[in-house]
Amino acid sequence: LDEVIPFDRGLFRGSPAAAVRYGLRFANLLRRKRFDLVLDLQGLARTGLMCAATGARQRVGFADAREGSRHTYTRLVETPPGMHAVDRYWLAAQAVGAGQGAPQFVLPVDGGEA
C-alpha cells in the first residue's frame, strides 16, 4: 500500500451541486493516479464508478457485486453463495496474484499481557 486516498461520503448528503463537483474532482484525481490494477471489495455502485474512473486496465471485483458495479470490472471473481467475507477477500487476492498459500491469521499479543 503506497497511499490512502480519502473519500468524503458526507459531502453527498448536502447540496447536489456540491456533491457533483466533488465527485468530478475525485474521479479526476483517480484518473491522474494512472493505476494499473484496481480491486473493488465492496461492490457498490459508488465503488464501481470509482473503479471505472481510474481508467485502470485491470479492474477486479466480485461477479455477484450489487448495484451494477460488476459491469465496471474487467475481471470477475466468482464466489460460492454464503461464503464468509474473509474467504471472499482471499479469493480476490488470489485472483490478482497475491495470497498464495494458506491464509494465516495472527493475533499479536503484548508479552506483558496475559
Side-chain angles (χ1 to χ4, degrees):
L1 183 63
D2 296 321
E3 179 180 5
V4 174
I5 304 171
F7 176 78
D8 188 353
R9 291 185 318 171
L11 285 178
F12 281 80
R13 295 186 195 116
S15 155
V20 168
R21 283 192 304 273
Y22 177 75
L24 290 173
R25 280 195 314 272
F26 192 78
N28 225 356
L29 170 67
L30 293 176
R31 175 72 67 168
R32 285 194 317 265
K33 295 289 181 177
R34 302 181 57 88
F35 293 106
D36 298 316
L37 168 70
V38 175
L39 182 60
D40 183 359
L41 298 176
Q42 193 166 24
L44 300 175
R46 178 177 49 226
T47 57
L49 290 172
M50 289 178 188
C51 284
T54 66
R57 267 199 199 152
Q58 294 185 65
R59 298 183 305 275
V60 180
F62 297 114
D64 63 352
R66 301 167 291 170
E67 301 178 4
S69 60
R70 68 184 160 277
H71 300 294
T72 67
Y73 308 145
T74 60
R75 191 152 142 218
L76 298 172
V77 177
E78 298 285 343
T79 57
M83 179 178 260
H84 191 278
V86 171
D87 296 319
R88 287 170 55 89
Y89 298 162
W90 193 258
L91 280 179
Q94 288 177 323
V96 297
Q100 303 308 317
Q104 294 182 4
F105 301 98
V106 179
L107 180 61
V109 178
D110 184 356
E113 298 178 16

